[in-house]
Amino acid sequence: MCGIVGYTGKNQATPILIDGLERLEYRGYDSSGIAVSNDSGIEIIKSKGRLFELKKLTNGTKPEGVTGIGHTRWATHGGPSDENSHPHYSRDKKFAVVHNGIIENYLELREFLSERGFTFRSETDTEIVSMLLEYYYGGDMLDAIIKLRNKIKGSYALGILHDGEGGAFYALRKDSPLVIGLGEGENFIASDIPAILPYTRKFIIPDEKEVAVITPEKVTVYNRNKETVEKKITVSDLSADAAEKDGFAHFMLKEIFEQPGAIKKTVHDRITPDGIKLDGVKLNGNDIRKIYMVACGSAYHAGAVGKYFIEKLARLEVETDLASEFRYRNPLLGSDCLTVIISQSGETADSLAALREAKRRGSRVLAVVNVVDSSIAREADDVLYTRAGPEIAVATTKGYTTQVAVLYLLGLKLAHDRGTVSADEYSSLLSELKRVPEKLGAFIDEINPQAQYLAGKYYPAQDAYFIGRGADWSAALEGALKLKEISYIHAEAYAAGELKHGTISLIEKNSLVLGIAAEPALREKTLSNIKEVRSRGAAVIGVTDSPDSIKAECDDMITLPQTHPALTPLFTAAALQLFAYYVAAARGGDIDKPRNLAKSVTVE
Ligand code: G6P
């Protein structure tokens, strides 16, 4: 949700800033801009629209100078426009600011500044930051930034440029992600590590409310008490080309195909001859009374798969909750509860707030996170990484399936602790889980042309209904979200038995229904629901590992491979991702950057 980048060193800043912004575009892409300081002051170039609009204006080289900041925007306060694009100048143009987050008390501060003669060029919350810096500056930037920090409320990662500082720029963060990259005679800031991986692998992560002063030679970090602090340097092992498309038409397609490898990394060395090893996380299923799975978007859907699995296998009560609801609903938590926060980015504002709320109420918090050292990973009591590698497409694929894989491991471990799973079932699930990467790889290759064929047939659909029962319903939730977010077809997921309580009134001739009937014990029931919609004219794509049992009632089929029934949601997910991808491609959507969305949602 907005990407920020900053550079100071011996090279021209503009090409480095633009390159960094290109890698951050997944965070927001309705406008972009850069500010560079040089002998004539601070120069800003910014524009509404995609990054290529900015590239045209800068010609890849302008403004000249070796210190600068950049921004790619996902609008919150004020629509996408040239004026609302970042960076924002102060009144005297001596300061320029880029911001990711929301300054919650900006209206009050705008009034405060207006009373003191300041006027504003934009409708953003950010512009008050540059104006406040001008207001507070009395010769010492650090003091001005500390006064600013004491005044603003909300979430922020800020990059700040001040005229006449000879190569220095500043950064400050609270509840929004920011990394500082350390180079040789040059240093960087960015909203995430892959943005600056071509330049450095060494990073430090400022803590909440810390201020960093960045010059080409050094980075100095000050804590809340204005004392300098030693920061741990981490060396990223991500590969610099992890953010390249490798010949695939889109990152989403590449990431769908990367799933077998990502799941392999996630599960293999955690399944040992002595059972499941969860990276030293000490958990015993017998000490837990209740689990809350809390997340947003697809991560919430992964939690829904986990709920069915864990309840069934470990006989432990599991409640799934949307983080935006959980954080405000006074949840009944205590020390006998385990709160599992699931998040690909590890930065989602609502999930982070839910984590803090759970801790405040005495619950232990386990994070299931992809991005190493992200805020959620750092603040949780324990973390299990999903090891999916960088995910660039806004619509998650490998991020989601690796979350499901970790929840399977967790469920198996808890069931084993509690003695609720037989030795045979335990070892059969473990060995089948180990075989998932190989089977999934073969399945993706096999289903890819079929998904293209089905997309070619059904892409004009106006509405789609994904129905299923049990874990198939959880898979339906994710399938419908995938389709709607990238193809813009209205799609709904329904518990198959619930459809007739209202929504079936929408089914008419040629309505598209994806009937997921993989769970053996519920297949007959779902088949009845498929018959109900078909008799009202719907076109049905059946999704099952047992095609003979339902194909007579379906127009088309997606046949899943044979696996342990509990693991089919991973295969269903891959098939529905490919279907959504090819439908979106047929409709001409911007698949990796769908309208109105952002990958990392760091605002409420
Ligand atoms: C955004 C993304 C979704 C993602 C959700 C939660 O809405 O577009 O794909 O599932 O955020 O993100 P997280 O990083 O917490 O998993």
Side-chain angles (χ1 to χ4, degrees):
M1 191 127 292
C2 298
I4 70 172
V5 66
Y7 173 79
T8 183
K10 46 195 176 305
N11 295 306
Q12 285 296 307
T14 294
I16 295 173
L17 296 174
I18 292 198
D19 182 48
L21 291 180
E22 248 165 357
R23 291 162 202 274
L24 286 174
E25 238 195 327
Y26 72 84
R27 299 180 68 85
Y29 30 84
D30 57 49
S31 39
S32 56
I34 54 174
V36 175
S37 72
N38 52 39
D39 291 344
S40 41
I42 295 175
E43 238 180 287
I44 290 181
I45 300 184
K46 56 185 185 176
S47 169
K48 177 187 165 188
R50 291 287 165 92
L51 194 60
F52 62 78
E53 303 291 350
L54 178 71
K55 278 169 125 176
K56 274 193 268 172
L57 292 176
T58 64
N59 204 12
T61 55
K62 285 187 300 185
E64 287 185 7
V66 293
T67 308
I69 51 178
H71 189 266
T72 175
R73 181 166 188 250
W74 187 86
T76 57
H77 294 63
S81 70
D82 291 352
E83 297 72 33
N84 290 338
S85 308
H86 301 212
H88 290 286
Y89 272 133
S90 56
R91 182 178 54 179
D92 60 7
K93 300 199 172 175
K94 298 278 184 207
F95 299 85
V97 169
V98 288
H99 170 217
N100 167 211
I102 289 182
I103 309 295
E104 286 167 2
N105 57 339
Y106 88 103
L107 281 175
E108 180 193 310
L109 293 173
R110 219 170 144 112
E111 208 173 302
F112 170 87
L113 287 159
S114 301
E115 283 162 8
R116 285 153 182 84
F118 285 81
T119 52
F120 297 88
R121 302 174 188 97
S122 78
E123 304 153 293
T124 66
D125 52 331
T126 305
E127 203 179 356
I128 58 112
V129 174
S130 45
M131 302 293 181
L132 278 176
L133 285 168
E134 176 182 333
Y135 178 72
Y136 285 129
Y137 183 67
D140 184 319
M141 260 309 273
L142 202 53
D143 278 346
I145 292 177
I146 289 169
K147 283 185 185 144
L148 164 81
R149 187 182 67 189
N150 294 339
K151 197 82 180 164
I152 54 176
K153 295 194 180 116
S155 59
Y156 43 84
L158 291 165
I160 300 166
L161 209 53
H162 179 217
D163 185 25
E165 292 266 344
F169 75 100
Y170 301 82
L172 167 65
R173 72 168 282 270
K174 176 184 165 275
D175 293 339
S176 286
L178 184 81
V179 297
I180 301 175
L182 307 174
E184 296 292 325
E186 55 183 6
N187 289 309
F188 308 78
I189 60 166
S191 296
D192 76 10
I193 289 175
I196 45 177
L197 264 185
Y199 309 99
T200 184
R201 313 199 136 268
K202 287 203 281 186
F203 294 91
I204 57 177
I205 300 173
D207 283 322
E208 296 286 285
K209 293 197 171 184
E210 285 182 342
V211 181
V213 183
I214 299 142
T215 69
E217 286 74 37
K218 69 172 189 204
V219 172
T220 316
V221 179
Y222 295 87
N223 66 13
R224 291 166 192 236
N225 305 322
K226 215 183 152 184
E227 299 150 349
T228 56
V229 276
E230 278 301 308
K231 302 299 294 182
K232 187 181 110 194
I233 298 177
T234 50
V235 180
S236 172
D237 58 4
L238 294 174
S239 89
D241 60 5
E244 307 292 335
K245 283 191 206 141
D246 285 351
F248 284 91
H250 295 94
F251 281 112
M252 182 178 175
L253 192 58
K254 175 186 173 222
E255 289 160 3
I256 290 172
F257 275 83
E258 281 173 349
Q259 292 180 107
I263 293 174
K264 187 170 180 180
K265 275 196 194 143
T266 300
V267 300
H268 263 217
D269 70 359
R270 287 167 169 154
I271 301 175
T272 75
D274 301 328
I276 294 172
K277 297 278 177 261
L278 295 180
D279 310 359
V281 175
K282 293 206 173 15
L283 268 184
N284 188 323
N286 296 302
D287 301 337
I288 302 167
R289 181 183 58 82
K290 179 167 180 180
I291 296 179
Y292 285 84
M293 299 261 185
V294 185
C296 304
S298 297
Y300 170 75
H301 297 159
V305 177
K307 171 189 162 79
Y308 277 98
F309 185 76
I310 296 173
E311 282 197 345
K312 195 177 269 181
L313 209 69
R315 309 303 301 146
L316 239 174
E317 191 186 348
V318 183
E319 192 167 332
T320 41
D321 219 333
L322 294 164
S324 53
E325 289 296 312
F326 177 88
R327 63 183 291 191
Y328 294 120
R329 79 168 168 89
N330 213 348
L332 296 166
L333 286 170
S335 57
D336 52 357
C337 297
L338 175 71
T339 303
V340 181
I341 304 281
I342 310 162
S343 174
Q344 186 285 127
S345 64
E347 301 293 350
T348 303
D350 282 321
S351 304
L352 182 59
L355 177 158
R356 291 175 180 163
E357 181 63 12
K359 279 181 93 170
R360 202 176 65 77
R361 289 172 182 266
S363 169
R364 182 170 173 187
V365 173
L366 170 69
V368 176
V369 165
N370 191 37
V371 176
V372 175
D373 281 338
S374 53
S375 301
I376 291 174
R378 281 181 286 134
E379 292 193 28
D381 297 307
D382 297 293
V383 57
L384 288 173
Y385 284 114
T386 49
R387 303 179 186 162
E391 193 179 59
I392 311 293
V394 167
T396 181
T397 51
K398 61 177 182 170
Y400 164 81
T401 45
T402 51
Q403 287 163 349
V404 172
V406 166
L407 296 178
Y408 284 147
L409 288 171
L410 179 66
L412 276 158
K413 151 91 177 99
L414 296 175
H416 190 255
D417 292 345
R418 292 165 62 82
T420 50
V421 59
S422 70
D424 280 356
E425 172 127 48
Y426 182 68
S427 64
S428 120
L429 263 161
L430 279 186
S431 62
E432 201 51 28
L433 190 53
K434 271 191 114 162
R435 292 184 62 202
V436 162
E438 182 198 331
K439 281 194 180 176
L440 187 64
F443 175 63
I444 288 174
D445 288 340
E446 178 198 315
I447 205 71
N448 189 37
Q450 167 76 352
Q452 282 186 61
Y453 160 76
L454 293 174
K457 183 167 169 188
Y458 292 107
Y459 78 90
Q462 292 195 339
D463 304 281
Y465 301 87
F466 290 66
I467 62 171
R469 290 169 180 254
D472 291 336
W473 175 35
S474 309
L477 290 167
E478 178 57 9
L481 181 66
K482 263 323 55 96
L483 184 68
K484 78 180 114 185
E485 63 186 341
I486 59 170
S487 75
Y488 314 142
I489 292 175
H490 164 241
E492 286 189 52
Y494 254 85
E498 182 65 14
L499 198 74
K500 60 183 159 301
H501 296 291
T503 304
I504 202 166
S505 67
L506 299 175
I507 302 290
E508 54 189 1
K509 194 165 166 19
N510 294 331
S511 296
L512 175 60
V513 174
L514 286 99
I516 307 169
E519 188 148 352
L522 300 170
R523 193 175 294 126
E524 282 298 316
K525 304 281 174 197
T526 302
L527 181 60
S528 307
N529 304 125
I530 290 175
K531 286 182 185 167
E532 287 160 10
V533 293
R534 198 131 184 273
S535 63
R536 287 161 178 84
V540 177
I541 303 176
V543 183
T544 182
D545 57 348
S546 173
D548 290 344
S549 57
I550 68 164
K551 72 176 178 212
E553 296 301 331
C554 299
D555 297 86
D556 284 289
M557 293 297 301
I558 290 175
T559 302
L560 305 170
Q562 295 301 310
T563 182
H564 189 290
L567 306 181
T568 53
L570 289 172
F571 296 88
T572 307
L576 298 183
Q577 291 161 358
L578 283 166
F579 177 67
Y581 172 81
Y582 287 114
V583 169
R587 292 170 72 102
D590 189 347
I591 294 178
D592 284 338
K593 299 189 191 82
R595 70 184 179 208
N596 303 341
L597 297 179
K599 188 158 187 72
S600 183
V601 180
T602 50
V603 295
E604 270 195 56

